Amino acid sequence: MFDFKVVTNWIDTLLLSFLPGWAATLVECVLVALAIITLYAVFAIILIYMERKICAFFQCRLGPNRVGKWGSIQVLADVLKMLTKEIIDMKNVDRLLHKMAPFLVIVASMLTFACLPWNKGAEVLDFNIGIFFFLAAGSIGVVGILLAGWSSNNKYALIGAMRSGAQIISYEVSIGLVMLTMIVLTGTMSFSEICQQQADLGWNIFRGHIPAVLCFIIYLIAGNAECNRGPFDMPEAESELTAGYHVEYSGMHFGFYYLAEYLNLFICAGIASTIFLGGWAPFHIPGLDGFNHVMDYIPGAVWMLGKTFFVVFLLMWIRWTFPRLRIDQLLALEWKYLMPMSLVLLVLMAICVSLGLTF
Amino acid sequence: MTLDNIKTLEPSQLREEMQALKSKGFDYLSNLIGMDWGEEEGLGVVYCVENTQTHEQAWLKTATADREQPVIPTVSDLWDIANIYEREAYDFYGIIFAGHPDMRRIFLREDWVGYPMRKDDKPAEQNPLRMTNEPLADDTTEYTLQPDGSLITKKNIIFGPDDYVVNIGPQHPSTHGVLHFRVALDGEIIRKIDPVLGYIHRGVEKLNESYTYPQTLALTDRLDYLGAMQSRHALCMCIEKAMGIEVSDRVQVVRTILDELQRIDSHILFFSCLCQDMGATTAFLYGFRDREKILDIFEETCGGRLIINYNTIGGLMADIHPNFQKRVKEFIPYMRKNIKEYHALFTGNVIFQNRSKGIGPLTKEQVISFGCTGGTGRAAGWANDVRKNHPYAAYDRVDFHQVLRESGDSFDRYMIRLDEILESLNIIEQLIDNIPEGNYKEKTKPIIKVPEGTYYQAVETSRGEFGVFLESKGDKSPYRLHYRSTGLPLVAAMDTACRGFKIADLVTIGGTMDYIVPDIDR
Amino acid sequence: MSNNNYFSGLFFGIKSLLIGLGVTMKEFFTRKITEQYPENRKELKMFDRFRGRLIMPHNENNEHKCIGCGLCQMACPNGSIKVTTEMLEAEDGKKKRSLVKYEYDLGCCMFCELCITACPQGAIEFCTDFENAVFDRAKLVQQLNKPGSKVAEKKPVAKPVAPAAAKPVTEAKPVAPAAAEPATEAKPAAPAAAKPAAPAESAEAPVEKKESNPETPAAV
């Protein structure tokens, strides 16, 4: 496999050759930040386009097909529109919190985005408590949503925010437990090590067999709920609360929520593919060396993106098939089904690992 | 039918008579119509009560000559729906119903001056275009009649200072139009609903009084736009019967087929919108895909898709299109196949089942008291199908059964409609190959004048009993033309159905009630 | 809830969700039903009974059938039709109503077809055009009779209204044939309608004659 460290090391040595250490680090930080922001925007555009097309195909429609070939620059045009729109100042809102909320959401989303391992050696934020950091950073988002609902001084927004608070906090329990289960299997919290391990030993979903597959399903459900996407889009629930917590936002402030929603979907799918589907690790079948060798030629980033978009497609398929749950059913699903099940799976996984029943 | 035996009562006898009727089994108040009979007879009300067992109707009227302060005792304690109907009569005629707990205007603005349906009222002069927001009071007035003839007023509270009131509507995605619910919430739980109506009130009944009979036809399509065919059918039938025009068998059968197609169209849209309201956008588009086929059939034969404009006094605007039978016959198996898809995708879905079973139930007594006809009533086990009870057109010669269910919750209301699609397909299948020959239109005089008298005709539209009440003085325009709205009772029952359920259930219940706002506001 | 219910409910739920996913996946691969308007403008044909907008058909001699009786105007519930007429003296001294301007407000029209049923002459009808959007409301008010158009005379059999104008037909015969005869191939009804055209113009509206005369041969 190609190790991306070659590139980063080369840049590092290049910079150090004419800059002092601190300046080199600074330049590198800026470069990485720029790369992340660009990627963030690009993926948002791809995802929005993908969603609009896929949803249309599920609904016997063609989707956007006017702007550009197959509507390919439709989203760019939308982004342009969003950027030029006026940000309307509302009367009687808590101005500071109202303006701050979208930034909190986008910051949380970007922090978690930075956790994704793109390729071997191409992790932006990677340390020994990676998963822990991911969960912590992801939780900032809910603060943004709650603030938005509270500061908007709107009853719909407030109800939406309260729903969102209840929903995200509940589902974080499941996500935490599922992650814990997988940590039991991998024995590490660092994303790079998790990926490396899967490249060496096989994907976690195969290694951990039954408990891992069930964990994967629970993670998809809970992750979907974390992103506030249908059928768990209660906080927005456009047919009940019109737009929920972001009903009073306009222009790019609304755009931030919109962006964050899609990127959270991508991040959720990305983490699923990292933890369960091997991240950048290629698909190997033990014994078939020729096949495995061919698989190794496909770059890790392609593997990572392929798996992630596959999971994204699964989530979109779910979203465009099911009706929305009601808030009490949503909580019942978490506390009565998912949470107990993930607890059982945690124990099961611990037993499997301690008895050496994993592959 | 001609109403030549309306029993006239003094206001003081009204309550006694009504109570007697109700105890005799006349438990369904189908109409309560405000009237202005001019200076001598004064303002009054026409009542129609129906026995839900024998389907016998009793028509009564009462009037008071006092135009300054017309007082008639309320019957809102006997029938729940009288509450809304009496508010309507108060709004348009200024008739005060003594003992009514909530004497507010219902369709017009609360600061409206005058009572526009009175023959001597000049609404345009007293009501300039107001540039201020409509005031919405949190309290209401109750009038009690004293033995000496004076009125005592009492304030009743609608929403207190502690109520957390959320406005659902008038601009809201799931009220299906400009309907406004003021909802008092306790967290997510609904404590009380106060519907505010009239955002799309166009004064159709008032307009009709200045229109010629053919002109009045143009407005029926715009009441319940998903029952356009049927409402217009009712009005045409009413005028035809009043004038003694016999339409040919061909017209009867074609009208029946088109009524049923319209019903399918409406029920598909019901399914679609319910899915949309509950967040299943994909199922919504599947419904629209299939509805398109019906709209094409309509467009080919009638020239319109939504505003169909096909029935006319004495028959039809044009004969059926040569392709009509072929298209309908193609549609029947297509729809039967797609209904299965609806069931697979949505009916069976566990999320939908959990969100609809046991949600917003209405008992049989409640639906009768509220006059919730159509699918909503039949879901609670009330056999109220006008096609069965008072057959018209070709319904007496087709074999179909009335779909009934027991529990009256949202799921039953939903299933009734999907089953009725199949039932309507059966009716169409029986008739489509047997359209008799005959005139598509009887000759009528160029100027249509209905002989003096009072007439009523009801049909089963897509969402219940739609009635046309016509009082004629022999002129070329009606003296009073009242439509029994199918949606108004459904909205009136929303408060009862929703209390104690969650805000998300309001959407489900409203969706399964299946009301159409232009039909409520008229 | 018993344990049994808990698990059977869970499995029932999962099964129902999978069936739903199956339905949408099937639709994902079926042909899409979207119509590609405006690309399909050429194939797109409205049903012939579709009511797009009111028109007054003119024949090739720039003649319509409207006699200006105003019945349509009276029948219209919305007042979207305004008929302006003037009284003209025919050659034989009889007064005859003639249409000057037939204004139709598309913005007010509710397509109820009452005007068409009211018309004794069949002079107006709905066409199937549906691209009626304009940028200015004033443009929705359309004049249906073309400039310089005339009312077509009925065949002698037709109506009691016609006689006053029917006479000139016989007188005009020597003048008209040259122009009218070639039109026979175009439309069977045309010659009868076309013949009176020339004399009617000369008799009733000399001003408009200049405009319409050059058009008549051109149309032929």
Side-chain angles (χ1 to χ4, degrees), chain B residues 340-366:
Chain B
K340 292 198 185 100
E341 190 178 270
Y342 294 179
H343 284 310
L345 177 62
F346 196 67
T347 315
N349 188 299
V350 64
I351 301 173
F352 169 65
Q353 297 223 339
N354 283 337
R355 280 195 61 182
S356 62
K357 280 191 176 157
I359 300 301
L362 285 172
T363 63
K364 192 174 169 187
E365 288 69 38
Q366 280 170 337

Side-chain angles (χ1 to χ4, degrees), chain B residues 257-268:
Chain B
I257 296 174
L258 286 167
D259 278 7
E260 291 309 312
L261 278 176
Q262 178 84 76
R263 196 181 317 280
I264 298 173
D265 160 34
S266 166
H267 288 347
I268 294 177

Side-chain angles (χ1 to χ4, degrees), chain A residues 61-62 65-66 317 321 336, chain C residues 6 21 24 32 36 39:
Chain A
R61 304 186 283 119
L62 293 173
N65 63 353
R66 296 284 137 164
W317 184 14
T321 302
K336 270 161 77 179
Chain C
Y6 180 89
L21 286 173
T24 40
K32 306 296 169 250
Q36 293 271 57
E39 280 86 350

Side-chain angles (χ1 to χ4, degrees), chain B residues 33-330:
Chain B
I33 305 158
M35 291 291 294
D36 180 1
W37 284 295
E39 284 297 322
E40 276 169 31
E41 267 189 276
L43 300 161
V45 180
V46 176
Y47 299 87
C48 171
V49 284
E50 189 173 316
N51 188 321
T52 46
Q53 298 302 318
T54 60
H55 312 301
E56 188 191 343
Q57 285 182 342
W59 287 81
L60 308 104
K61 70 177 181 186
T62 182
T64 166
D66 186 355
R67 291 185 84 84
E68 287 304 306
Q69 196 181 61
V71 182
I72 285 172
T74 181
V75 291
S76 59
D77 50 338
L78 300 176
W79 290 278
D80 287 327
I81 188 57
N83 187 312
I84 285 243
Y85 283 163
E86 286 178 352
R87 279 177 69 188
E88 184 185 331
Y90 168 75
D91 197 359
F92 292 156
Y93 290 96
I95 301 168
I96 293 167
F97 291 88
H100 186 290
D102 183 9
M103 241 354 11
R104 268 181 304 160
R105 288 192 181 271
I106 181 165
F107 291 125
L108 303 176
R109 286 170 63 114
E110 285 181 8
D111 53 0
W112 189 269
V113 182
Y115 301 100
M117 293 283 281
R118 287 190 186 185
K119 294 281 179 185
D120 54 1
D121 190 66
K122 303 219 165 21
E125 289 171 17
Q126 293 159 309
N127 294 284
L129 182 62
R130 291 195 170 83
M131 303 309 288
T132 49
N133 289 338
E134 179 185 357
L136 281 179
D138 280 342
D139 49 17
T140 176
T141 321
E142 179 177 344
Y143 296 91
T144 327
L145 192 64
Q146 292 302 105
D148 63 347
S150 61
L151 283 174
I152 294 182
T153 56
K154 187 182 134 204
K155 285 265 173 257
N156 285 345
I157 303 292
I158 306 166
F159 293 117
D162 291 340
D163 283 316
Y164 185 75
V165 181
V166 172
N167 290 306
I168 307 279
Q171 313 294 339
H172 191 275
S174 59
T175 52
H176 299 191
V178 276
L179 182 62
H180 181 182
F181 288 122
R182 292 210 286 162
V183 184
L185 289 180
D186 183 6
E188 289 251 351
I189 295 168
I190 296 168
R191 277 171 47 191
K192 185 175 186 182
I193 293 182
D194 178 41
V196 182
L197 307 175
Y199 286 91
I200 183 171
H201 174 67
R202 295 149 294 178
V204 167
E205 290 175 12
K206 178 78 179 167
L207 276 174
N208 281 337
E209 290 173 12
S210 57
Y211 275 5
T212 64
Y213 284 101
Q215 285 179 341
T216 59
L217 290 182
L219 299 182
T220 47
D221 283 3
R222 288 156 173 87
L223 294 173
D224 175 356
Y225 47 76
L226 297 176
M229 206 60 105
Q230 299 136 340
S231 339
R232 198 157 152 133
H233 186 177
L235 181 56
C236 289
M237 221 170 8
C238 189
I239 298 173
E240 281 156 11
K241 286 191 178 159
M243 296 176 63
I245 302 171
E246 279 283 320
V247 294
S248 70
D249 260 7
R250 184 179 182 80
V251 174
Q252 301 280 31
V253 170
V254 172
R255 280 180 176 177
T256 310
I257 296 174
L258 286 167
D259 278 7
E260 291 309 312
L261 278 176
Q262 178 84 76
R263 196 181 317 280
I264 298 173
D265 160 34
S266 166
H267 288 347
I268 294 177
L269 196 79
F270 158 83
F271 166 81
S272 303
C273 293
L274 182 66
C275 297
Q276 166 81 354
D277 287 348
M278 297 180 75
T281 330
T282 303
F284 166 77
L285 279 139
Y286 292 173
F288 265 66
R289 176 193 64 192
D290 302 336
R291 180 168 175 257
E292 193 67 16
K293 305 266 178 201
I294 299 185
L295 295 187
D296 278 349
I297 295 175
F298 281 160
E299 194 182 357
E300 193 170 40
T301 284
C302 319
R305 295 162 76 81
L306 192 71
I307 307 298
I308 295 160
N309 203 23
Y310 191 50
N311 285 316
T312 183
I313 301 166
L316 309 166
M317 278 285 194
D319 205 357
I320 51 170
H321 195 273
N323 286 343
F324 178 73
Q325 278 159 304
K326 188 175 127 261
R327 270 182 188 269
V328 172
K329 275 191 257 177
E330 280 167 6

Side-chain angles (χ1 to χ4, degrees), chain A residues 263-303:
Chain A
L263 257 296
N264 284 344
L265 166 73
F266 181 82
I267 293 158
C268 165
I271 295 294
S273 61
T274 311
I275 295 185
F276 297 95
L277 304 177
W280 47 259
F283 183 62
H284 282 177
I285 299 173
L288 284 178
D289 283 340
F291 175 79
N292 293 348
H293 200 63
V294 174
M295 289 290 127
D296 280 342
Y297 272 110
I298 302 173
V302 173
W303 277 110

